[in-house]
Amino acid sequence: MSDTGPPRDGATFDPALDGERADTQQERVLTVMRCGQWLTVSEIQARIALMFNGKLDPETSIGTRVRDLRKAKFGLFRVDAQRRGNPKAGLWEYRLVVPPQTSTESVPPLEA
């Protein structure tokens, strides 16, 4: 994905060192979040480990990938965020809002 994916940026980002890792992390985070459930970063991390043979992405990287999903170059997904539990605890959860599937049957046929 790093050869065909959108460019990443940032002062500390080195495409040669970080590109492939960040792209595969992005794929894992998106795969987990497609469930549409409210998940904390640690819950996303745990699901990644379950779904991807024990892969343990750092929570800071997962948080970055969640934020990246909102950017146009990474899909312009709608990611909602809300506090979980005691508001003073600072625990946040995130939900990817997946648009409903559209049926091709609802598209009128082209007139000849």
Side-chain angles (χ1 to χ4, degrees), residues 32-99:
V32 166
M33 292 193 70
R34 282 192 186 278
C35 70
Q37 297 175 358
W38 287 101
L39 301 168
T40 64
V41 170
S42 62
E43 289 169 344
I44 295 168
Q45 182 186 52
R47 288 186 181 203
I48 287 172
L50 286 172
M51 294 173 68
F52 294 93
N53 201 26
K55 181 66 182 166
L56 193 61
D57 292 316
E59 287 189 9
T60 53
S61 297
I62 292 169
T64 300
R65 302 292 83 81
V66 169
R67 287 189 302 278
D68 283 349
L69 289 172
R70 294 179 173 134
K71 298 177 182 177
K73 60 185 173 181
F74 300 111
L76 199 60
F77 290 95
R78 179 176 147 201
V79 179
D80 292 341
Q82 65 183 18
R83 292 180 185 268
R84 181 186 283 183
N86 179 354
K88 292 183 179 182
L91 180 62
W92 286 83
E93 60 185 359
Y94 305 91
R95 176 181 66 180
L96 179 72
V97 179
V98 180

Side-chain angles (χ1 to χ4, degrees), residues 7-15 17-18 21 64-65 71 73:
R8 295 181 184 275
D9 53 17
T12 61
F13 182 77
D14 181 335
L17 299 175
D18 304 317
R21 177 182 41 78
T64 300
R65 302 292 83 81
K71 298 177 182 177
K73 60 185 173 181

